[in-house]
Amino acid sequence: MKLQTRLYFQKTGILMAVYLVLRFLLPIVLPFFLAWVTVGCLTFFQKRSHMKLMSLSVLYLVLFLLLSGASVFCGCWLLYEPCCRLLPVCRDYWAQFAGYLTWLPGSLSGFFADLMPSALSCMFSIFLYLISILLFSKDWERFHSLLYRLPFAIPVSNAGRRILQCVKSWIRAQFRIMAAISLECMIGYYFLHIPGFPFWAVLTGIIDALPVFGTGTVFFPWIVIVALQGDYTLALWLGLLYLTTWLTRELLEPKLLGDGLGLLPVCFLMSVIAGLKLFGPLGFFSGPFGVLLIRELWVELELSFSQKNNLNL
């Protein structure tokens, strides 16, 4: 078989292998994979802090639990007053359209009944993630030596290293844009007298940094709710603040991101949509990750092909 034909077959094999791994294996091993990535990041800090990996992992778990609890508490505390103000408005609209919304209670009960097993599964996955961090920290070196004995370990490792470098550059740029947008929102929320404005400003910046999402995810529903309450002045100022944050991202993104992940924005969006269709909610992240992994594995294959071709010449 010619080398070129073999290359096409091997690329097709990589495409099928990545799909099967993301479709069937990743949902099963996701908590363990995230724990492995977390411990790998902790080894980076271990080299600079000279702490034991187990001690660093325990410190991370304590901070994770504390921050999670604090976030839930702050979210409930900050949402209490807006929900109390919005509840009478919802009741008024419910009374006006009660005849058209009789199907909602049954639909909501069915929705929550379907959601309950997923919520329990998510909680169990978080528990597995936390336990796996400790287990990986205990046997990190032994586990890594075991991984490198697997077939295709070196090409996958090289591809993963390049993906990690792209992701690090992308995250660094996103943090700078997120900081600028959070600062703008903090100033705007302060002058608009929004309770807990620092928390909401940072949360708006984080949502804006997520792929596909943007500040419109926060501002559009907010503007609609405020307009329904009759506060058109606040709705206008929120619209101007949204326009400011949108322009900030549009101006900073080309300068800071550069090539970003190496995917055109339309290709990134297509990978997200394809991931959601193929893998469900997990595909929001596994779709772009799968495209990057296929691309980098193909690069490894082409490099190997070029080396063999040069030897034959």
Side-chain angles (χ1 to χ4, degrees):
M1 186 183 294
K2 293 183 179 180
L3 287 177
Q4 191 70 36
T5 306
R6 186 183 301 173
L7 178 66
Y8 291 144
F9 276 106
Q10 289 176 338
K11 282 187 174 183
T12 304
I14 288 174
L15 183 64
M16 295 301 298
V18 171
Y19 167 75
L20 292 174
V21 167
L22 295 179
R23 179 69 177 84
F24 298 105
L25 185 60
L26 185 61
I28 299 173
V29 302
L30 182 61
F32 307 101
F33 174 73
L34 293 178
W36 175 69
V37 172
T38 301
V39 177
C41 295
L42 291 177
T43 57
F44 174 80
F45 294 103
Q46 180 199 15
K47 296 175 183 177
R48 286 157 175 76
S49 62
H50 304 291
M51 293 176 61
K52 291 184 178 180
L53 187 57
M54 179 61 76
S55 303
L56 202 58
S57 299
V58 171
L59 179 62
Y60 168 80
L61 291 179
V62 172
L63 290 175
F64 177 86
L65 294 173
L66 287 176
L67 289 175
S68 299
S71 299
V72 171
F73 175 79
C74 290
C76 293
W77 178 63
L78 291 171
L79 285 172
Y80 177 76
E81 184 179 351
C83 288
C84 288
R85 289 191 299 173
L86 188 61
L87 191 59
V89 179
C90 294
R91 285 176 179 170
D92 293 339
Y93 280 95
W94 184 275
Q96 293 177 19
F97 301 101
Y100 302 98
L101 302 177
T102 53
W103 57 274
L104 270 179
S107 301
L108 288 175
S109 62
F111 172 76
F112 285 117
D114 294 337
L115 190 64
M116 186 60 66
S118 300
L120 294 175
S121 177
C122 181
M123 292 176 63
F124 182 67
S125 297
I126 293 174
F127 173 76
L128 285 179
Y129 165 72
L130 299 176
I131 294 298
S132 299
I133 289 176
L134 297 177
L135 297 178
F136 276 126
S137 301
K138 182 181 178 182
D139 299 311
W140 181 250
E141 297 297 334
R142 292 171 59 188
F143 183 77
H144 250 241
S145 63
L146 178 64
L147 278 181
Y148 275 96
R149 294 177 189 173
L150 296 175
F152 309 111
I154 294 178
V156 172
S157 175
N158 293 337
R161 196 174 294 112
R162 287 197 296 271
I163 292 174
L164 180 62
Q165 190 61 39
C166 291
V167 171
K168 284 168 62 178
S169 301
W170 181 79
I171 290 176
R172 194 180 299 116
Q174 287 292 351
F175 263 112
R176 294 177 181 176
I177 298 173
M178 184 181 71
I181 290 178
S182 297
L183 180 60
E184 290 175 349
C185 291
M186 196 173 297
I187 295 172
Y189 294 167
Y190 172 77
F191 285 108
L192 293 175
H193 306 289
I194 304 298
F197 66 93
F199 174 82
W200 295 116
V202 173
L203 184 61
T204 305
I206 292 173
I207 293 175
D208 178 70
L210 294 175
V212 181
F213 288 89
T215 52
T217 309
V218 175
F219 283 111
F220 284 155
W222 195 355
I223 291 171
V224 170
I225 291 172
V226 169
L228 288 175
Q229 292 177 329
D231 195 346
Y232 300 109
T233 303
L234 179 58
L236 176 62
W237 283 112
L238 289 175
L240 292 175
L241 184 57
Y242 163 67
L243 182 62
T244 303
T245 57
W246 178 77
L247 287 174
T248 299
R249 172 162 287 277
E250 290 299 313
L251 292 173
L252 292 180
E253 198 168 41
K255 297 179 181 179
L256 295 179
L257 283 179
D259 292 333
L261 297 176
L263 294 176
L264 294 173
V266 64
C267 295
F268 188 91
L269 180 60
M270 290 171 62
S271 67
V272 171
I273 299 300
L276 290 173
K277 291 290 185 181
L278 293 173
F279 312 121
L282 186 60
F284 186 86
F285 299 100
S286 60
F289 173 75
V291 171
L292 290 174
L293 183 59
I294 291 170
R295 184 190 69 184
E296 296 303 331
L297 288 176
W298 280 1
V299 169
E300 283 292 311
L301 192 61
E302 289 171 353
L303 290 174
S304 176
F305 170 77
S306 299
Q307 293 174 357
K308 290 179 180 179
N309 201 21
N310 292 333
L311 289 176
N312 291 336
L313 293 175

